[in-house]
Amino acid sequence: MASSSSSGLTFKLHPLVILNISDHYTRVKSQSQMMINTTNNHNNDTCATLPDTPRVYGCVIGVQRGRTVEIFNSFELLYDPISHSLDRVFLEKKQELYKKVFPHFYILGWYSTGSDAEESDMHIHKALMDINESPIYMLLNPCINPAQKDLPVTIYESELHVIDGIPQLIFVRSSYTIETVEAERISVDHVAHLKPSDGGSAATQLAAHLTSIHSAIKMLNSRIRVLHHYLVAMQKGEIPLENSLLRQVSSLLRRLPAIESEKFQDDFLMEYNDTLLITYLAMFTNCSSTMNEVVDKFSTAYDRHSRRGGRTAFI
């Protein structure tokens, strides 16, 4: 396997693809665990040995515009582990259905799960070359590594290399960027703020929310520091000038004075005062409701006490 690709293609990956593959793997893993539990219940005396969670397979679809490949979506495939082949009838049916809904999307390649590409993956890769002459292979590593900061996703291309005088197809790594649209941002944000399945307390959810905000601010601060050090080094002449980067930094800095204008301060103070006023009104309403409850309880208790003493209440 070569270290990096030399095709010059630019890959843009949408979060929906990662969510689909993760959901596919989670469902298969849950079903495997249920099978293990059921088998162990039926075989209490003998420990049943079942294989580990099987790998999942599917196709990735999207568009290619020139040298830019954009991966939008994916769908699952049926895989036969004995013959190491895909169900072509099922694949063609899914392709036909997706063509009706997304006529501009094409099959760009396939995906699987695992820590690294295996030799058997090349058989599946070659089988898809009749649909796409140069398919891509997307591999998701389901193992959790807390020390890893990058996404556990690798995109491979296939290149023909001569090894020991024999031309062979091998997988080569390709770099990619995450591309999102507004609908995907809302969906990913909704998934990130889902309540835990164990029904965590409000304090736990608040702590998790504040932790995510702190991590985002910390990441923003680190990126600003990197950019600042880069500009200082460019000013000192340690690195060559890059006009395109300077234009981007300049356009970014032009947005900052907008929050220091008088109109912004007036609007901010007005909204801040309105928020405080609403808070005070809510407090007054709450206090009034509490006082009414206390008066009602006091009246009830005093009325009972007066009836027992043979005197009427004077209010």
Side-chain angles (χ1 to χ4, degrees), residues 17-35 52-57 76 111-114 140-144 191 197:
V17 182
I18 304 177
L19 293 177
N20 287 343
I21 301 175
S22 178
D23 175 72
H24 187 189
Y25 174 79
T26 302
R27 284 187 284 104
V28 173
K29 183 178 180 181
S30 300
Q31 293 171 2
S32 300
Q33 291 178 349
M34 291 177 61
M35 292 176 59
D52 297 333
T53 303
R55 301 175 65 188
V56 298
Y57 299 87
E76 305 171 12
Y111 71 80
S112 181
T113 54
L140 174 68
N141 187 2
C143 299
I144 300 176
V191 172
S197 57

PDB file of all heavy atoms in Angstrom, residues 17-35 52-57 76 111-114 140-144 191 197:
ATOM      1  N   VAL A  17     -22.648  10.726   5.570  1.00  0.00           N
ATOM      2  CA  VAL A  17     -22.050   9.443   5.219  1.00  0.00           C
ATOM      3  C   VAL A  17     -21.469   8.776   6.466  1.00  0.00           C
ATOM      4  O   VAL A  17     -21.654   7.575   6.701  1.00  0.00           O
ATOM      5  CB  VAL A  17     -20.962   9.639   4.149  1.00  0.00           C
ATOM      6  CG1 VAL A  17     -20.377   8.299   3.733  1.00  0.00           C
ATOM      7  CG2 VAL A  17     -21.527  10.363   2.934  1.00  0.00           C
ATOM      8  N   ILE A  18     -20.788   9.560   7.287  1.00  0.00           N
ATOM      9  CA  ILE A  18     -20.184   9.008   8.508  1.00  0.00           C
ATOM     10  C   ILE A  18     -21.272   8.525   9.460  1.00  0.00           C
ATOM     11  O   ILE A  18     -21.150   7.461  10.084  1.00  0.00           O
ATOM     12  CB  ILE A  18     -19.293  10.060   9.176  1.00  0.00           C
ATOM     13  CG1 ILE A  18     -18.220  10.560   8.191  1.00  0.00           C
ATOM     14  CG2 ILE A  18     -18.626   9.495  10.421  1.00  0.00           C
ATOM     15  CD1 ILE A  18     -17.344  11.663   8.741  1.00  0.00           C
ATOM     16  N   LEU A  19     -22.349   9.293   9.580  1.00  0.00           N
ATOM     17  CA  LEU A  19     -23.453   8.886  10.451  1.00  0.00           C
ATOM     18  C   LEU A  19     -24.110   7.599   9.950  1.00  0.00           C
ATOM     19  O   LEU A  19     -24.471   6.721  10.751  1.00  0.00           O
ATOM     20  CB  LEU A  19     -24.483  10.008  10.544  1.00  0.00           C
ATOM     21  CG  LEU A  19     -24.046  11.289  11.252  1.00  0.00           C
ATOM     22  CD1 LEU A  19     -25.154  12.331  11.201  1.00  0.00           C
ATOM     23  CD2 LEU A  19     -23.666  11.007  12.697  1.00  0.00           C
ATOM     24  N   ASN A  20     -24.271   7.479   8.635  1.00  0.00           N
ATOM     25  CA  ASN A  20     -24.882   6.264   8.084  1.00  0.00           C
ATOM     26  C   ASN A  20     -24.027   5.029   8.365  1.00  0.00           C
ATOM     27  O   ASN A  20     -24.545   3.980   8.769  1.00  0.00           O
ATOM     28  CB  ASN A  20     -25.086   6.422   6.579  1.00  0.00           C
ATOM     29  CG  ASN A  20     -26.218   7.359   6.233  1.00  0.00           C
ATOM     30  OD1 ASN A  20     -27.064   7.661   7.068  1.00  0.00           O
ATOM     31  ND2 ASN A  20     -26.240   7.846   5.005  1.00  0.00           N
ATOM     32  N   ILE A  21     -22.726   5.152   8.161  1.00  0.00           N
ATOM     33  CA  ILE A  21     -21.841   4.003   8.389  1.00  0.00           C
ATOM     34  C   ILE A  21     -21.805   3.650   9.874  1.00  0.00           C
ATOM     35  O   ILE A  21     -21.848   2.472  10.253  1.00  0.00           O
ATOM     36  CB  ILE A  21     -20.426   4.307   7.871  1.00  0.00           C
ATOM     37  CG1 ILE A  21     -20.457   4.627   6.367  1.00  0.00           C
ATOM     38  CG2 ILE A  21     -19.491   3.141   8.128  1.00  0.00           C
ATOM     39  CD1 ILE A  21     -19.123   5.050   5.807  1.00  0.00           C
ATOM     40  N   SER A  22     -21.743   4.652  10.718  1.00  0.00           N
ATOM     41  CA  SER A  22     -21.738   4.407  12.162  1.00  0.00           C
ATOM     42  C   SER A  22     -23.030   3.742  12.615  1.00  0.00           C
ATOM     43  O   SER A  22     -23.023   2.803  13.429  1.00  0.00           O
ATOM     44  CB  SER A  22     -21.531   5.726  12.910  1.00  0.00           C
ATOM     45  OG  SER A  22     -21.568   5.530  14.298  1.00  0.00           O
ATOM     46  N   ASP A  23     -24.163   4.206  12.080  1.00  0.00           N
ATOM     47  CA  ASP A  23     -25.448   3.591  12.419  1.00  0.00           C
ATOM     48  C   ASP A  23     -25.518   2.153  11.916  1.00  0.00           C
ATOM     49  O   ASP A  23     -26.019   1.264  12.616  1.00  0.00           O
ATOM     50  CB  ASP A  23     -26.577   4.431  11.817  1.00  0.00           C
ATOM     51  CG  ASP A  23     -27.940   3.800  12.019  1.00  0.00           C
ATOM     52  OD1 ASP A  23     -28.427   3.794  13.164  1.00  0.00           O
ATOM     53  OD2 ASP A  23     -28.514   3.304  11.032  1.00  0.00           O
ATOM     54  N   HIS A  24     -25.012   1.917  10.714  1.00  0.00           N
ATOM     55  CA  HIS A  24     -24.994   0.562  10.150  1.00  0.00           C
ATOM     56  C   HIS A  24     -24.181  -0.372  11.043  1.00  0.00           C
ATOM     57  O   HIS A  24     -24.619  -1.479  11.388  1.00  0.00           O
ATOM     58  CB  HIS A  24     -24.414   0.614   8.732  1.00  0.00           C
ATOM     59  CG  HIS A  24     -24.500  -0.682   7.999  1.00  0.00           C
ATOM     60  ND1 HIS A  24     -23.873  -0.882   6.778  1.00  0.00           N
ATOM     61  CD2 HIS A  24     -25.122  -1.846   8.298  1.00  0.00           C
ATOM     62  CE1 HIS A  24     -24.129  -2.112   6.376  1.00  0.00           C
ATOM     63  NE2 HIS A  24     -24.872  -2.722   7.283  1.00  0.00           N
ATOM     64  N   TYR A  25     -23.011   0.064  11.442  1.00  0.00           N
ATOM     65  CA  TYR A  25     -22.146  -0.776  12.286  1.00  0.00           C
ATOM     66  C   TYR A  25     -22.772  -1.003  13.667  1.00  0.00           C
ATOM     67  O   TYR A  25     -22.714  -2.118  14.207  1.00  0.00           O
ATOM     68  CB  TYR A  25     -20.776  -0.112  12.427  1.00  0.00           C
ATOM     69  CG  TYR A  25     -19.862  -0.822  13.399  1.00  0.00           C
ATOM     70  CD1 TYR A  25     -19.180  -1.968  13.021  1.00  0.00           C
ATOM     71  CD2 TYR A  25     -19.691  -0.346  14.701  1.00  0.00           C
ATOM     72  CE1 TYR A  25     -18.346  -2.635  13.903  1.00  0.00           C
ATOM     73  CE2 TYR A  25     -18.870  -1.005  15.590  1.00  0.00           C
ATOM     74  CZ  TYR A  25     -18.191  -2.142  15.193  1.00  0.00           C
ATOM     75  OH  TYR A  25     -17.374  -2.796  16.076  1.00  0.00           O
ATOM     76  N   THR A  26     -23.394   0.030  14.241  1.00  0.00           N
ATOM     77  CA  THR A  26     -23.988  -0.097  15.571  1.00  0.00           C
ATOM     78  C   THR A  26     -25.138  -1.099  15.557  1.00  0.00           C
ATOM     79  O   THR A  26     -25.285  -1.913  16.482  1.00  0.00           O
ATOM     80  CB  THR A  26     -24.482   1.271  16.057  1.00  0.00           C
ATOM     81  OG1 THR A  26     -23.388   2.197  16.067  1.00  0.00           O
ATOM     82  CG2 THR A  26     -25.056   1.175  17.455  1.00  0.00           C
ATOM     83  N   ARG A  27     -25.966  -1.065  14.510  1.00  0.00           N
ATOM     84  CA  ARG A  27     -27.081  -2.004  14.430  1.00  0.00           C
ATOM     85  C   ARG A  27     -26.587  -3.445  14.290  1.00  0.00           C
ATOM     86  O   ARG A  27     -27.102  -4.354  14.946  1.00  0.00           O
ATOM     87  CB  ARG A  27     -27.980  -1.633  13.253  1.00  0.00           C
ATOM     88  CG  ARG A  27     -28.858  -0.423  13.537  1.00  0.00           C
ATOM     89  CD  ARG A  27     -29.861  -0.173  12.435  1.00  0.00           C
ATOM     90  NE  ARG A  27     -29.258   0.431  11.257  1.00  0.00           N
ATOM     91  CZ  ARG A  27     -28.993  -0.210  10.136  1.00  0.00           C
ATOM     92  NH1 ARG A  27     -29.306  -1.493  10.019  1.00  0.00           N
ATOM     93  NH2 ARG A  27     -28.448   0.418   9.118  1.00  0.00           N
ATOM     94  N   VAL A  28     -25.583  -3.648  13.443  1.00  0.00           N
ATOM     95  CA  VAL A  28     -25.055  -5.000  13.258  1.00  0.00           C
ATOM     96  C   VAL A  28     -24.396  -5.494  14.545  1.00  0.00           C
ATOM     97  O   VAL A  28     -24.540  -6.659  14.938  1.00  0.00           O
ATOM     98  CB  VAL A  28     -24.049  -5.013  12.087  1.00  0.00           C
ATOM     99  CG1 VAL A  28     -23.349  -6.366  11.993  1.00  0.00           C
ATOM    100  CG2 VAL A  28     -24.758  -4.716  10.775  1.00  0.00           C
ATOM    101  N   LYS A  29     -23.709  -4.612  15.240  1.00  0.00           N
ATOM    102  CA  LYS A  29     -23.062  -4.996  16.499  1.00  0.00           C
ATOM    103  C   LYS A  29     -24.102  -5.354  17.557  1.00  0.00           C
ATOM    104  O   LYS A  29     -23.939  -6.337  18.297  1.00  0.00           O
ATOM    105  CB  LYS A  29     -22.184  -3.851  16.986  1.00  0.00           C
ATOM    106  CG  LYS A  29     -21.413  -4.166  18.257  1.00  0.00           C
ATOM    107  CD  LYS A  29     -20.524  -3.010  18.662  1.00  0.00           C
ATOM    108  CE  LYS A  29     -19.759  -3.343  19.939  1.00  0.00           C
ATOM    109  NZ  LYS A  29     -18.887  -2.202  20.356  1.00  0.00           N
ATOM    110  N   SER A  30     -25.175  -4.580  17.650  1.00  0.00           N
ATOM    111  CA  SER A  30     -26.237  -4.878  18.625  1.00  0.00           C
ATOM    112  C   SER A  30     -26.902  -6.215  18.314  1.00  0.00           C
ATOM    113  O   SER A  30     -27.184  -7.007  19.221  1.00  0.00           O
ATOM    114  CB  SER A  30     -27.273  -3.750  18.626  1.00  0.00           C
ATOM    115  OG  SER A  30     -26.697  -2.516  18.981  1.00  0.00           O
ATOM    116  N   GLN A  31     -27.164  -6.471  17.032  1.00  0.00           N
ATOM    117  CA  GLN A  31     -27.772  -7.747  16.662  1.00  0.00           C
ATOM    118  C   GLN A  31     -26.842  -8.916  16.983  1.00  0.00           C
ATOM    119  O   GLN A  31     -27.300  -9.976  17.427  1.00  0.00           O
ATOM    120  CB  GLN A  31     -28.124  -7.737  15.179  1.00  0.00           C
ATOM    121  CG  GLN A  31     -29.217  -6.753  14.814  1.00  0.00           C
ATOM    122  CD  GLN A  31     -29.400  -6.615  13.308  1.00  0.00           C
ATOM    123  OE1 GLN A  31     -28.725  -7.285  12.540  1.00  0.00           O
ATOM    124  NE2 GLN A  31     -30.309  -5.739  12.903  1.00  0.00           N
ATOM    125  N   SER A  32     -25.536  -8.739  16.800  1.00  0.00           N
ATOM    126  CA  SER A  32     -24.584  -9.802  17.117  1.00  0.00           C
ATOM    127  C   SER A  32     -24.552 -10.074  18.609  1.00  0.00           C
ATOM    128  O   SER A  32     -24.490 -11.235  19.041  1.00  0.00           O
ATOM    129  CB  SER A  32     -23.184  -9.412  16.624  1.00  0.00           C
ATOM    130  OG  SER A  32     -23.177  -9.207  15.232  1.00  0.00           O
ATOM    131  N   GLN A  33     -24.597  -9.014  19.420  1.00  0.00           N
ATOM    132  CA  GLN A  33     -24.613  -9.204  20.873  1.00  0.00           C
ATOM    133  C   GLN A  33     -25.892  -9.896  21.325  1.00  0.00           C
ATOM    134  O   GLN A  33     -25.866 -10.728  22.239  1.00  0.00           O
ATOM    135  CB  GLN A  33     -24.471  -7.852  21.569  1.00  0.00           C
ATOM    136  CG  GLN A  33     -23.095  -7.220  21.401  1.00  0.00           C
ATOM    137  CD  GLN A  33     -23.004  -5.858  22.054  1.00  0.00           C
ATOM    138  OE1 GLN A  33     -24.009  -5.281  22.471  1.00  0.00           O
ATOM    139  NE2 GLN A  33     -21.797  -5.337  22.146  1.00  0.00           N
ATOM    140  N   MET A  34     -27.014  -9.571  20.696  1.00  0.00           N
ATOM    141  CA  MET A  34     -28.265 -10.262  21.040  1.00  0.00           C
ATOM    142  C   MET A  34     -28.178 -11.746  20.697  1.00  0.00           C
ATOM    143  O   MET A  34     -28.655 -12.595  21.453  1.00  0.00           O
ATOM    144  CB  MET A  34     -29.431  -9.606  20.300  1.00  0.00           C
ATOM    145  CG  MET A  34     -29.769  -8.196  20.774  1.00  0.00           C
ATOM    146  SD  MET A  34     -31.083  -7.433  19.818  1.00  0.00           S
ATOM    147  CE  MET A  34     -32.426  -8.581  20.124  1.00  0.00           C
ATOM    148  N   MET A  35     -27.553 -12.065  19.574  1.00  0.00           N
ATOM    149  CA  MET A  35     -27.388 -13.478  19.203  1.00  0.00           C
ATOM    150  C   MET A  35     -26.493 -14.198  20.199  1.00  0.00           C
ATOM    151  O   MET A  35     -26.752 -15.351  20.578  1.00  0.00           O
ATOM    152  CB  MET A  35     -26.811 -13.581  17.794  1.00  0.00           C
ATOM    153  CG  MET A  35     -27.753 -13.123  16.688  1.00  0.00           C
ATOM    154  SD  MET A  35     -26.974 -13.168  15.073  1.00  0.00           S
ATOM    155  CE  MET A  35     -26.526 -14.891  14.968  1.00  0.00           C
ATOM    156  N   ASP A  52     -16.515 -12.463  16.148  1.00  0.00           N
ATOM    157  CA  ASP A  52     -16.635 -11.062  16.536  1.00  0.00           C
ATOM    158  C   ASP A  52     -17.618 -10.345  15.632  1.00  0.00           C
ATOM    159  O   ASP A  52     -18.163 -10.912  14.682  1.00  0.00           O
ATOM    160  CB  ASP A  52     -15.260 -10.388  16.484  1.00  0.00           C
ATOM    161  CG  ASP A  52     -14.294 -11.012  17.485  1.00  0.00           C
ATOM    162  OD1 ASP A  52     -14.794 -11.546  18.495  1.00  0.00           O
ATOM    163  OD2 ASP A  52     -13.077 -10.972  17.235  1.00  0.00           O
ATOM    164  N   THR A  53     -17.839  -9.074  15.954  1.00  0.00           N
ATOM    165  CA  THR A  53     -18.774  -8.289  15.161  1.00  0.00           C
ATOM    166  C   THR A  53     -18.342  -8.275  13.695  1.00  0.00           C
ATOM    167  O   THR A  53     -17.217  -7.887  13.380  1.00  0.00           O
ATOM    168  CB  THR A  53     -18.829  -6.859  15.693  1.00  0.00           C
ATOM    169  OG1 THR A  53     -19.189  -6.891  17.071  1.00  0.00           O
ATOM    170  CG2 THR A  53     -19.846  -6.046  14.922  1.00  0.00           C
ATOM    171  N   PRO A  54     -19.199  -8.704  12.778  1.00  0.00           N
ATOM    172  CA  PRO A  54     -18.792  -8.741  11.372  1.00  0.00           C
ATOM    173  C   PRO A  54     -18.632  -7.342  10.804  1.00  0.00           C
ATOM    174  O   PRO A  54     -19.200  -6.376  11.306  1.00  0.00           O
ATOM    175  CB  PRO A  54     -19.945  -9.499  10.691  1.00  0.00           C
ATOM    176  CG  PRO A  54     -21.129  -9.256  11.585  1.00  0.00           C
ATOM    177  CD  PRO A  54     -20.581  -9.170  12.976  1.00  0.00           C
ATOM    178  N   ARG A  55     -17.862  -7.252   9.768  1.00  0.00           N
ATOM    179  CA  ARG A  55     -17.686  -5.973   9.076  1.00  0.00           C
ATOM    180  C   ARG A  55     -18.952  -5.658   8.275  1.00  0.00           C
ATOM    181  O   ARG A  55     -19.683  -6.554   7.868  1.00  0.00           O
ATOM    182  CB  ARG A  55     -16.478  -6.033   8.145  1.00  0.00           C
ATOM    183  CG  ARG A  55     -15.175  -6.350   8.842  1.00  0.00           C
ATOM    184  CD  ARG A  55     -14.057  -6.506   7.846  1.00  0.00           C
ATOM    185  NE  ARG A  55     -13.768  -5.271   7.159  1.00  0.00           N
ATOM    186  CZ  ARG A  55     -12.940  -5.160   6.121  1.00  0.00           C
ATOM    187  NH1 ARG A  55     -12.351  -6.243   5.621  1.00  0.00           N
ATOM    188  NH2 ARG A  55     -12.726  -3.993   5.557  1.00  0.00           N
ATOM    189  N   VAL A  56     -19.186  -4.379   8.087  1.00  0.00           N
ATOM    190  CA  VAL A  56     -20.348  -3.939   7.307  1.00  0.00           C
ATOM    191  C   VAL A  56     -19.854  -3.359   5.989  1.00  0.00           C
ATOM    192  O   VAL A  56     -18.733  -2.836   5.894  1.00  0.00           O
ATOM    193  CB  VAL A  56     -21.181  -2.901   8.094  1.00  0.00           C
ATOM    194  CG1 VAL A  56     -21.732  -3.518   9.363  1.00  0.00           C
ATOM    195  CG2 VAL A  56     -20.354  -1.666   8.431  1.00  0.00           C
ATOM    196  N   TYR A  57     -20.716  -3.434   4.988  1.00  0.00           N
ATOM    197  CA  TYR A  57     -20.349  -2.995   3.643  1.00  0.00           C
ATOM    198  C   TYR A  57     -21.485  -2.165   3.053  1.00  0.00           C
ATOM    199  O   TYR A  57     -22.655  -2.345   3.387  1.00  0.00           O
ATOM    200  CB  TYR A  57     -20.058  -4.197   2.733  1.00  0.00           C
ATOM    201  CG  TYR A  57     -18.916  -5.062   3.212  1.00  0.00           C
ATOM    202  CD1 TYR A  57     -19.135  -6.089   4.125  1.00  0.00           C
ATOM    203  CD2 TYR A  57     -17.625  -4.853   2.758  1.00  0.00           C
ATOM    204  CE1 TYR A  57     -18.098  -6.890   4.569  1.00  0.00           C
ATOM    205  CE2 TYR A  57     -16.581  -5.646   3.194  1.00  0.00           C
ATOM    206  CZ  TYR A  57     -16.822  -6.657   4.098  1.00  0.00           C
ATOM    207  OH  TYR A  57     -15.779  -7.441   4.534  1.00  0.00           O
ATOM    208  N   GLU A  76     -26.540   0.663   2.246  1.00  0.00           N
ATOM    209  CA  GLU A  76     -25.970  -0.612   2.674  1.00  0.00           C
ATOM    210  C   GLU A  76     -25.990  -1.633   1.541  1.00  0.00           C
ATOM    211  O   GLU A  76     -26.781  -1.535   0.610  1.00  0.00           O
ATOM    212  CB  GLU A  76     -26.738  -1.137   3.891  1.00  0.00           C
ATOM    213  CG  GLU A  76     -26.794  -0.158   5.052  1.00  0.00           C
ATOM    214  CD  GLU A  76     -27.738  -0.607   6.144  1.00  0.00           C
ATOM    215  OE1 GLU A  76     -28.172  -1.781   6.099  1.00  0.00           O
ATOM    216  OE2 GLU A  76     -28.042   0.198   7.038  1.00  0.00           O
ATOM    217  N   TYR A 111     -17.830   1.341   0.967  1.00  0.00           N
ATOM    218  CA  TYR A 111     -17.269   1.553   2.295  1.00  0.00           C
ATOM    219  C   TYR A 111     -17.279   0.247   3.079  1.00  0.00           C
ATOM    220  O   TYR A 111     -17.989  -0.707   2.747  1.00  0.00           O
ATOM    221  CB  TYR A 111     -18.052   2.627   3.057  1.00  0.00           C
ATOM    222  CG  TYR A 111     -19.434   2.232   3.512  1.00  0.00           C
ATOM    223  CD1 TYR A 111     -19.634   1.462   4.661  1.00  0.00           C
ATOM    224  CD2 TYR A 111     -20.566   2.623   2.798  1.00  0.00           C
ATOM    225  CE1 TYR A 111     -20.910   1.090   5.076  1.00  0.00           C
ATOM    226  CE2 TYR A 111     -21.839   2.259   3.208  1.00  0.00           C
ATOM    227  CZ  TYR A 111     -22.000   1.496   4.352  1.00  0.00           C
ATOM    228  OH  TYR A 111     -23.252   1.128   4.765  1.00  0.00           O
ATOM    229  N   SER A 112     -16.481   0.241   4.119  1.00  0.00           N
ATOM    230  CA  SER A 112     -16.439  -0.888   5.027  1.00  0.00           C
ATOM    231  C   SER A 112     -15.903  -0.404   6.374  1.00  0.00           C
ATOM    232  O   SER A 112     -15.559   0.776   6.530  1.00  0.00           O
ATOM    233  CB  SER A 112     -15.548  -2.009   4.467  1.00  0.00           C
ATOM    234  OG  SER A 112     -15.540  -3.117   5.355  1.00  0.00           O
ATOM    235  N   THR A 113     -15.857  -1.312   7.350  1.00  0.00           N
ATOM    236  CA  THR A 113     -15.335  -0.982   8.672  1.00  0.00           C
ATOM    237  C   THR A 113     -14.142  -1.877   8.968  1.00  0.00           C
ATOM    238  O   THR A 113     -14.050  -3.015   8.496  1.00  0.00           O
ATOM    239  CB  THR A 113     -16.408  -1.194   9.760  1.00  0.00           C
ATOM    240  OG1 THR A 113     -16.928  -2.522   9.674  1.00  0.00           O
ATOM    241  CG2 THR A 113     -17.543  -0.194   9.583  1.00  0.00           C
ATOM    242  N   GLY A 114     -13.239  -1.357   9.782  1.00  0.00           N
ATOM    243  CA  GLY A 114     -12.034  -2.099  10.134  1.00  0.00           C
ATOM    244  C   GLY A 114     -10.900  -1.150  10.445  1.00  0.00           C
ATOM    245  O   GLY A 114     -10.988   0.064  10.207  1.00  0.00           O
ATOM    246  N   LEU A 140     -13.973   3.013   7.753  1.00  0.00           N
ATOM    247  CA  LEU A 140     -14.258   3.593   9.068  1.00  0.00           C
ATOM    248  C   LEU A 140     -13.742   2.654  10.143  1.00  0.00           C
ATOM    249  O   LEU A 140     -14.106   1.479  10.186  1.00  0.00           O
ATOM    250  CB  LEU A 140     -15.763   3.815   9.243  1.00  0.00           C
ATOM    251  CG  LEU A 140     -16.216   4.285  10.635  1.00  0.00           C
ATOM    252  CD1 LEU A 140     -15.718   5.694  10.911  1.00  0.00           C
ATOM    253  CD2 LEU A 140     -17.741   4.252  10.744  1.00  0.00           C
ATOM    254  N   ASN A 141     -12.901   3.185  11.021  1.00  0.00           N
ATOM    255  CA  ASN A 141     -12.352   2.397  12.127  1.00  0.00           C
ATOM    256  C   ASN A 141     -13.263   2.551  13.341  1.00  0.00           C
ATOM    257  O   ASN A 141     -13.342   3.624  13.940  1.00  0.00           O
ATOM    258  CB  ASN A 141     -10.935   2.862  12.461  1.00  0.00           C
ATOM    259  CG  ASN A 141     -10.268   1.961  13.491  1.00  0.00           C
ATOM    260  OD1 ASN A 141     -10.846   0.963  13.932  1.00  0.00           O
ATOM    261  ND2 ASN A 141      -9.048   2.305  13.866  1.00  0.00           N
ATOM    262  N   PRO A 142     -14.006   1.495  13.745  1.00  0.00           N
ATOM    263  CA  PRO A 142     -14.947   1.633  14.861  1.00  0.00           C
ATOM    264  C   PRO A 142     -14.289   1.610  16.231  1.00  0.00           C
ATOM    265  O   PRO A 142     -14.954   1.874  17.237  1.00  0.00           O
ATOM    266  CB  PRO A 142     -15.868   0.426  14.678  1.00  0.00           C
ATOM    267  CG  PRO A 142     -15.016  -0.592  14.016  1.00  0.00           C
ATOM    268  CD  PRO A 142     -14.063   0.156  13.138  1.00  0.00           C
ATOM    269  N   CYS A 143     -13.002   1.283  16.298  1.00  0.00           N
ATOM    270  CA  CYS A 143     -12.314   1.242  17.590  1.00  0.00           C
ATOM    271  C   CYS A 143     -12.092   2.660  18.105  1.00  0.00           C
ATOM    272  O   CYS A 143     -11.657   3.547  17.360  1.00  0.00           O
ATOM    273  CB  CYS A 143     -10.975   0.525  17.466  1.00  0.00           C
ATOM    274  SG  CYS A 143     -11.123  -1.199  16.928  1.00  0.00           S
ATOM    275  N   ILE A 144     -12.370   2.865  19.394  1.00  0.00           N
ATOM    276  CA  ILE A 144     -12.248   4.188  20.011  1.00  0.00           C
ATOM    277  C   ILE A 144     -10.814   4.390  20.475  1.00  0.00           C
ATOM    278  O   ILE A 144     -10.268   3.575  21.227  1.00  0.00           O
ATOM    279  CB  ILE A 144     -13.230   4.335  21.190  1.00  0.00           C
ATOM    280  CG1 ILE A 144     -14.662   4.166  20.705  1.00  0.00           C
ATOM    281  CG2 ILE A 144     -13.047   5.676  21.872  1.00  0.00           C
ATOM    282  CD1 ILE A 144     -15.693   4.199  21.821  1.00  0.00           C
ATOM    283  N   VAL A 191     -28.049  15.720  16.945  1.00  0.00           N
ATOM    284  CA  VAL A 191     -27.524  14.445  17.432  1.00  0.00           C
ATOM    285  C   VAL A 191     -26.560  14.667  18.592  1.00  0.00           C
ATOM    286  O   VAL A 191     -26.539  13.913  19.563  1.00  0.00           O
ATOM    287  CB  VAL A 191     -26.828  13.689  16.279  1.00  0.00           C
ATOM    288  CG1 VAL A 191     -26.107  12.453  16.803  1.00  0.00           C
ATOM    289  CG2 VAL A 191     -27.844  13.286  15.229  1.00  0.00           C
ATOM    290  N   SER A 197     -29.089   7.861  27.107  1.00  0.00           N
ATOM    291  CA  SER A 197     -30.109   6.834  27.231  1.00  0.00           C
ATOM    292  C   SER A 197     -30.426   6.493  28.676  1.00  0.00           C
ATOM    293  O   SER A 197     -31.502   5.989  28.978  1.00  0.00           O
ATOM    294  CB  SER A 197     -29.653   5.556  26.501  1.00  0.00           C
ATOM    295  OG  SER A 197     -28.413   5.109  27.024  1.00  0.00           O
TER     296      SER A 197
END
